[in-house]
Structures are given as structure tokens and as C-alpha cells.
């Protein structure tokens, strides 16, 4: 259900949630705003938002009034619609990669990169999905765009579409925090986002990469971007393609020149399930033909927050320069591809750094930053009842198991007691004759009472609904085979419940792991056995990062079919 909060009075700023009992467990955490943020507080007389007020409200998990959020979306959409497919920008400028709903890391990014009112920003797309704060990310970016339309530029990523946001969690987030009206408004605004930008006329910036249909920048300008991206074609490739990386176990060629000549410019991208991998040769040809130096892109998680691709003289393919600290780095013609990724500790499990690129006087400065703490949200916006079901079911099966188990006293004499329970009772006539000959009258009455009680108990275990259970006739008719069958049936029930208990324990443990993985399984999918159980024992950050990428590989595939 969408969040419902009261509204403050006209012009009154939202106040913090009251704590009349003074019983907040963690008192150093500021209570969330008790009221919705409305337009009369956020907007000035000219309809320009106060970004500082918005940031303070969102920092404390405040919620915007729905009409205010829709107004921000509409105003930003109008600005984006007027921009061309290819933006022509000049430095100084800060280039930002994927954000993926990590609002509190976006706030840190803006502190590292500089005040958006003073610094020019270019965002390369993928603002939503995976993280739990995509609405907050978009509200802040759109507000900054409205206030500084020439200082912040936003390109489209592969997640800014209906198909991806339905498969991942942005649609769920919109429904959880607002409703589908907000979601559809966001989708319409994503159709307005430009596709690429040039910096100083020498660097091409986009989200994904190159395409066999991309011969010149004029081809990008001819694309109709105001639509849902198709599964093939130039628009798809601009958002989805990746650079071709050499295999780690690939041996150097004895004749590099021939090997380089044999590498095709584009091959199908089986990792994404659509578009292409573009080789170093394909990138070099495109850059040379269009008098460009490098392609700056996002789209791929990086351990250090960025990657410099360059020629590997041994193979002729694109390789990687090792990570460097923040410093001035002049791009060279041997660095045709630069990848930047700005979501640190991606999905809360990758343990990677975030980075931004600062261009100034044709030099490149790389700024890295670590993740910031954020409020905890259950994955996929599930409610507490749904989250707790595996724990409840596990306890119920445990109780059933112990109810069906033999009592503790009988368990102690398992060998003798079970065999005694399996022995058929004496027929009534034989028991009476034996008892009459050997016991006193008082002893006979005790034996008779115990025999009747045992007969009723055995009959109830065999069939609780049978008529005449415990009667002498039913007792006499009970054969050793039936007694053995009854005992075996009870054992099977106990074993079945025990298996159920073990199964529910396993499901509960995996559910805990999924909760820890959070956005890494946004489509409610997790490969069996692909759990990060041994993550803490991995030797290095690189191993942790590669292990997370291996688990998350299935989610890199483009979903089949269209949007939901």
C-alpha cells in the first residue's frame, strides 16, 4: 500500500515524527518527517524547487506529496524533451556512471563531485532499479535539473524503460510508495532522455557502447528516442553493448598482427542476451573515422569504480590498466574506452568502490568514493508478514515433529519399548483365564482396567474415526500384521514431518541469505546453490567482487518479452 502521511499547514515545513513516550530504541537516529513535503514549501514563486529543503527531507526518509512529485516529473520531462539526441558539452564537467537507486551514495557523490549549482554534471543513465531508493534518486535529480537545466545533463540507460523496471524493482517501489500513476509518469519521462553527448568534441559519452549501425554521430541524431527501446537496432546497442574483453586464460599469440586482424569488430553479446560486444578494432575504427579520442561509458560494475581499456600488445585486444588513486590522468589514443561506475558496494554485496570522472582542461581526474550507510529495507519491498513466513513454518513443522515423536520416557527405552508396543495384545478369553488363575481379586481388577485402556489407545492410533475402537471384538480381531502396519505408519509420519522440518530450515536459511543479498536477486530469482555462503572466507576484495558478479550474471540478461 502507498505511504499515507498527514499534510502540514500551508507553508509549514514537515516536522519530525513525535516521540511522546521517549522510548525510541536508537535515539541518535533522527525520526522521519511526520508530514508530506508539499509544493508550497518546496517551490518558490517561479516554480523552482529548493534543492536543500528536498535533500534534508529525503535524507530523513521523508515522502513527497504525490502531486508535487508528478509536477517535478512533468517539468523535468519538458526540459529533457527539448534536448537533442546528442548533447554537445564542454569541460569542466563531471561524468557519473550507474547509480541504481542508491540515494545515499548519490548524496555522497554530489559532495565528492561538487555542488551541482557550480559544477556541470553528465549522468550516463541507470538511475533506478536494484537499490531501494530509486524514487528519491529521481526526485533529487529532477529537482536539480529544474533548478539548473544547463548544469546537469542526463542520458538514458538500459534500465530506463518499462521492460527492465517491471522485471526489477522500480515498478514495485513506485507502487509501494505511491501508485502506478507515478510509475507511468516516470516511464514517459524516461522516453525523453537524450542518448549520448560529446565532450570538447573529442569524447563520446553514452551508457552502453557502439553498434555496427553506428557509422557517425549523425546516425544517433536520426534515432527516434521517444519510445520503448527495441531488442535490436541502434537504439538498443547504444544502451546495451559492451566492450569485448580478452579471456583471462588466453595465451599470447605468436603473431599478434594476424590475430588482431582476425578479431571481428562486433560479435553477439551472449551475456546480455541482446546487442553486441565491440572489439578494440571496432572502437578504434569508429573513433578514427569520427575524429574522436575515446568512448566514455557506464553499464558495467567495476571493482575500483572505473576501468581504462587499452590495447594489449600481446593479443591486440582491449585490456585493462590497473587501478590508480585519484590523480590527473591525460587520456591517450591508446585508451579508446573508459568505463565509469558510480554505485559503490553495488547491491550491498559487490564491495566495489564508486567513481566519477572530472574533465578539466582536456585532462581527466578520477575521484573514487566508498559507500554510505543507508536505512534498511526488506528486499523487493516485502512486508514483515511475508518475510517472517519461513520462520513461522519452520517452527510449526518442528512442533508437529515433536508431537508425533514418542514421549521422552519411551524414547529412553527405545529398543525394548518399541518391541513391546509392537507385540499383539492377548485375546480377552486367554487373558481372563490367566489372570483368574494367578492373581487376587484386587490385582485382577487393575489388570483388567489397564488392558481396556491399552486397547482403546491402540485402536485410536489405528483409526481415530473407527466405530467400536477399544472394544473386545476389535481388539481380538487385531493381528500382529496390523499392529506392525500401524506402528510403521506412525514412523513414516514422523519421518515425513522430520523431512519437512529440515526442508523448512533450509528454506529459512536461504531466505535469510536472499534478504542479505537484497537487490542482487530483484526478479525473485536465485540459482540453486549460488549462495554467498563462503563470501566472508574469500581471500581478497577481487575474489568477493568476481564471486558476486558470477552470482548476478543471470540478472544481466535482458528479460524475454515486453513490459508487464
Amino acid at each position: 500500500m502507498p505511504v499515507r502521511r498527514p499534510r502540514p499547514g500551508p507553508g509549514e515545513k514537515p516536522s519530525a515524527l513525535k516521540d511522546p513516550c521517549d522510548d525510541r530504541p536508537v535515539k541518535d537516529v533522527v525520526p522521519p518527517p511526520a508530514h508530506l513535503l508539499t509544493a508550497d514549501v518546496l517551490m518558490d514563486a517561479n516554480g523552482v524547487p529548493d534543492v536543500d529543503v528536498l535533500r534534508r527531507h529525503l535524507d530523513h526518509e521523508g515522502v513527497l506529496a504525490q502531486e508535487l512529485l508528478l509536477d517535478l516529473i512533468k517539468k523535468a520531462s519538458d526540459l529533457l524533451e527539448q534536448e537533442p539526441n546528442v548533447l554537445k558539452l564542454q569541460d569542466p564537467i563531471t561524468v557519473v556512471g550507474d547509480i541504481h537507486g542508491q540515494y545515499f551514495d548519490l548524496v555522497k557523490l554530489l559532495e565528492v563531485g561538487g555542488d551541482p549549482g557550480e559544477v556541470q554534471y553528465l549522468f550516463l543513465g541507470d538511475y533506478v532499479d536494484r537499490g531501494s531508493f530509486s524514487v528519491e534518486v529521481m526526485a533529487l535529480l529532477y529537482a536539480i535539473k529544474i533548478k539548473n537545466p544547463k548544469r546537469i545533463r542526463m542520458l538514458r540507460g538500459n534500465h530506463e524503460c518499462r521492460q527492465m523496471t517491471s522485471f526489477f524493482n522500480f515498478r514495485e517501489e513506485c507502487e509501494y510508495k505511491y501508485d502506478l500513476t507515478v510509475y507511468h509518469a516516470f516511464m514517459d519521462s524516461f522516453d525523453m532522455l537524450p542518448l549520448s553527448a560529446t565532450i570538447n568534441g573529442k569524447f563520446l559519452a553514452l551508457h552502453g557502447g557502439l553498434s555496427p549501425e553506428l557509422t557517425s554521430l549523425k546516425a544517433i541524431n536520426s534515432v527516434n528516442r521517444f519510445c520503448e527501446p527495441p531488442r535490436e537496432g541502434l537504439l538498443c546497442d547504444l544502451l546495451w553493448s559492451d566492450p569485448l574483453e580478452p579471456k583471462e586464460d588466453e595465451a599470447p599469440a605468436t603473431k599478434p598482427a594476424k590475430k588482431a586482424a582476425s578479431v571481428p569488430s562486433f560479435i553477439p553479446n551472449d551475456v546480455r542476451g541482446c546487442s553486441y560486444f565491440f572489439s578494440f578494432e571496432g572502437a578504434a575504427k569508429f573513433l578514427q573515422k569520427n575524429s574522436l579520442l575515446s568512448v566514455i561509458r557506464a553499464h558495467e560494475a567495476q571493482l575500483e569504480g572505473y576501468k581504462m581499456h587499452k590495447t594489449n600488445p600481446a593479443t591486440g585486444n582491449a585490456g585493462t590498466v590497473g587501478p590508480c588513486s585519484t590523480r590527473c590522468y591525460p587520456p591517450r589514443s591508446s585508451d579508446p574506452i573508459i568505463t565509469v561506475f558510480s554505485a559503490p558496494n553495488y547491491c550491498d554485496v559487490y564491495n566495489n568502490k564508486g567513481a566519477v570522472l572530472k574533465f578539466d582542461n582536456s585532462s581527466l581526474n578520477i575521484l573514487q568514493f566508498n559507500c554510505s550507510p543507508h536505512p534498511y529495507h526488506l528486499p523487493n519491498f516485502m512486508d514483515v508478514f511475508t518475510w517472517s513466513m519461513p520462520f513461522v513454518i519452520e517452527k510449526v513443522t518442528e512442533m508437529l515433529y515433536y508431537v508425533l515423536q514418542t514421549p521422552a520416557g519411551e524414547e529412553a527405552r527405545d529398543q525394548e519399548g518399541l518391541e513391546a508396543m509392537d507385540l499383539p495384545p492377548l485375546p480377552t478369553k486367554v487373558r481372563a483365564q490367566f489372570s483368574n488363575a494367578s492373581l487376587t481379586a484386587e490385582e485382577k481388577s487393575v489388570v483388567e482396567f489397564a488392558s481396556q485402556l491399552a486397547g482403546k489407545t491402540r485402536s485410536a492410533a489405528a483409526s481415530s474415526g473407527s466405530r467400536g475402537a477399544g472394544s473386545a471384538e476389535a481388539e481380538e480381531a487385531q493381528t500382529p500384521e496390523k499392529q506392525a502396519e500401524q506402528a510403521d505408519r506412525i514412523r513414516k509420519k514422523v519421518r515425513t514431518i522430520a523431512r519437512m522440518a529440515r526442508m523448512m530450515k533450509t528454506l529459512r536459511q536461504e531466505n535469510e541469505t536472499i534478504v542479505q543479498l537484497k537487490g542482487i536477486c530483484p526478479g525473485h530469482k536465485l540459482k540453486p546453490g549460488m549462495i554467498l555462503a563462503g563470501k566472508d572466507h574469500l581471500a581478497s576484495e577481487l575474489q568477493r567482487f568476481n564471486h558476486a558478479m558470477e552470482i548476478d550474471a543471470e540478472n544481466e540478461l535482458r528479460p524475454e518479452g515486453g513490459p508487464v
Side-chain angles (χ1 to χ4, degrees):
M1 292 293 293
V3 175
R4 304 298 183 193
R5 296 188 184 180
R7 297 170 180 269
E12 180 184 348
K13 293 184 178 181
S15 59
L17 191 68
K18 304 299 181 183
D19 184 21
C21 298
D22 193 28
D23 59 352
R24 285 178 60 82
V26 185
K27 297 186 182 300
D28 58 340
V29 175
V30 179
H35 303 94
L36 298 172
L37 181 62
T38 55
D40 58 345
V41 175
L42 184 65
M43 301 291 194
D44 63 12
N46 297 320
V48 177
D50 188 329
V51 175
D52 292 333
V53 170
L54 178 62
R55 278 185 55 173
R56 286 193 297 269
H57 188 74
L58 296 178
D59 287 350
H60 297 148
E61 296 186 87
V63 179
L64 278 63
Q66 182 161 320
E67 61 269 22
L68 171 59
L69 181 57
L70 291 173
D71 186 42
L72 290 175
I73 297 172
K74 178 64 169 61
K75 289 180 177 179
S77 298
D78 292 342
L79 293 172
L80 295 169
E81 186 178 12
Q82 298 171 10
E83 296 178 343
N85 285 2
V86 182
L87 304 172
K88 296 182 179 180
L89 308 176
Q90 300 292 323
D91 67 9
I93 189 170
T94 299
V95 182
V96 181
D98 298 27
I99 299 173
H100 280 299
Q102 299 182 196
Y103 168 79
F104 295 90
D105 293 318
L106 171 62
V107 172
K108 178 68 174 180
L109 181 155
L110 295 176
E111 293 176 359
V112 172
D115 185 353
E118 301 174 0
V119 177
Q120 183 180 198
Y121 278 92
L122 173 63
F123 290 83
L124 301 184
D126 275 12
Y127 316 102
V128 301
D129 284 332
R130 311 308 294 266
S132 299
F133 306 95
S134 297
V135 170
E136 288 77 6
V137 166
M138 294 309 304
L140 180 59
L141 289 180
Y142 277 174
I144 298 173
K145 177 69 176 177
I146 295 167
K147 185 174 183 179
N148 305 286
K150 301 297 184 182
R151 306 298 291 175
I152 177 172
R153 306 289 185 158
M154 300 173 64
L155 303 184
R156 191 172 194 174
N158 65 302
H159 277 260
E160 277 68 65
C161 67
R162 294 158 185 82
Q163 182 189 38
M164 297 298 288
T165 53
S166 296
F167 176 77
F168 287 86
N169 62 335
F170 182 57
R171 177 171 174 149
E172 288 181 88
E173 181 179 343
C174 289
E175 290 187 76
Y176 174 76
K177 295 178 180 178
Y178 296 95
D179 58 27
L180 284 179
T181 303
V182 169
Y183 171 74
H184 291 308
F186 272 125
M187 292 304 103
D188 291 341
S189 73
F190 291 163
D191 290 339
M192 308 299 167
L193 290 166
L195 302 179
S196 64
T198 59
I199 301 174
N200 297 341
K202 292 297 182 181
F203 302 93
L204 174 64
L206 36 67
H207 180 74
L210 304 180
S211 168
E213 299 182 26
L214 181 60
T215 56
S216 67
L217 299 184
K218 293 181 180 179
I220 302 178
N221 276 322
S222 64
V223 173
N224 175 23
R225 77 173 193 261
F226 305 106
C227 63
E228 181 76 1
R231 294 195 66 88
E232 58 183 17
L234 179 54
L235 177 55
C236 171
D237 298 336
L238 295 174
L239 306 181
W240 280 94
S241 66
D242 294 302
L244 181 63
E245 298 290 347
K247 297 180 181 180
E248 294 182 0
D249 57 350
E250 186 176 6
T254 55
K255 297 181 179 181
K258 290 186 176 180
K259 185 174 181 64
S262 65
V263 177
S265 296
F266 297 92
I267 63 173
N269 192 330
D270 54 348
V271 173
R272 304 289 186 178
C274 67
S275 190
Y276 297 92
F277 287 113
F278 56 95
S279 66
F280 170 82
E281 289 74 18
K285 291 177 182 177
F286 172 80
L287 294 172
Q288 183 178 12
K289 181 178 180 180
N290 291 274
S291 301
L292 297 171
L293 291 179
S294 297
V295 173
I296 302 173
R297 62 184 295 275
H299 195 40
E300 289 183 294
Q302 303 296 336
L303 178 60
E304 296 298 325
Y306 71 96
K307 178 183 283 188
M308 298 287 190
H309 306 259
K310 65 177 294 184
T311 306
N312 184 338
T315 63
N317 291 331
T320 306
V321 176
C324 61
S325 58
T326 303
R327 61 184 178 86
C328 185
Y329 182 88
R332 303 180 298 269
S333 58
S334 60
D335 301 319
I337 308 163
I338 304 172
T339 297
V340 58
F341 194 79
S342 305
N345 196 24
Y346 183 41
C347 297
D348 285 341
V349 296
Y350 271 67
N351 297 293
N352 63 292
K353 296 178 181 178
V356 296
L357 311 179
K358 290 182 73 80
F359 281 89
D360 193 4
N361 295 324
S362 297
S363 64
L364 174 62
N365 198 28
I366 303 170
L367 303 179
Q368 296 172 298
F369 59 98
N370 292 317
C371 64
S372 301
H374 61 78
Y376 179 77
H377 275 207
L378 290 172
N380 304 313
F381 305 98
M382 69 172 70
D383 56 78
V384 175
F385 179 78
T386 304
W387 171 78
S388 64
M389 282 305 296
F391 303 90
V392 175
I393 296 174
E394 182 189 5
K395 294 303 178 183
V396 169
T397 53
E398 282 184 8
M399 288 190 292
L400 285 173
Y401 172 72
Y402 287 114
V403 165
L404 290 176
Q405 269 284 32
T406 53
E410 295 178 1
E411 190 75 23
R413 57 178 192 275
D414 186 40
Q415 296 296 329
E416 298 178 4
L418 269 180
E419 293 175 1
M421 288 172 59
D422 291 342
L423 291 176
L426 291 172
T428 304
K429 293 181 180 179
V430 175
R431 185 180 63 248
Q433 292 173 359
F434 182 80
S435 299
N436 290 337
S438 60
L439 301 176
T440 64
E442 186 177 355
E443 291 171 340
K444 291 175 187 177
S445 63
V446 174
V447 171
E448 185 64 24
F449 176 76
S451 300
Q452 292 175 359
L453 183 61
K456 288 183 178 292
T457 303
R458 284 190 295 268
S459 299
S463 177
S464 59
S466 63
R467 296 181 178 180
S471 64
E473 292 77 11
E475 195 176 341
E476 290 178 359
Q478 220 166 17
T479 64
E481 290 78 10
K482 289 185 177 180
Q483 287 291 315
E485 182 181 349
Q486 292 169 12
D488 186 60
R489 188 157 51 244
I490 293 176
R491 291 193 193 94
K492 288 182 178 177
K493 289 181 180 178
V494 173
R495 286 195 295 267
T496 300
I497 295 298
R499 283 195 296 268
M500 288 178 59
R502 287 195 297 270
M503 178 186 69
M504 294 313 304
K505 183 177 182 180
T506 301
L507 289 177
R508 190 261 303 164
Q509 290 173 342
E510 294 214 357
N511 180 73
E512 285 180 315
T513 305
I514 291 174
V515 170
Q516 292 170 0
L517 290 179
K518 291 172 70 78
I520 207 168
C521 46
H524 308 277
K525 298 193 311 180
L526 194 65
K527 285 185 176 181
M530 296 296 287
I531 300 293
L532 283 175
K535 179 174 75 72
D536 294 336
H537 301 288
L538 297 176
S540 66
E541 293 296 321
L542 179 60
Q543 286 180 327
R544 295 188 181 97
F545 179 79
N546 290 337
H547 194 55
M549 289 192 69
E550 179 185 0
I551 292 173
D552 202 25
E554 186 175 358
N555 290 314
E556 294 299 326
L557 283 168
R558 183 169 183 172
E560 296 294 333
V564 177

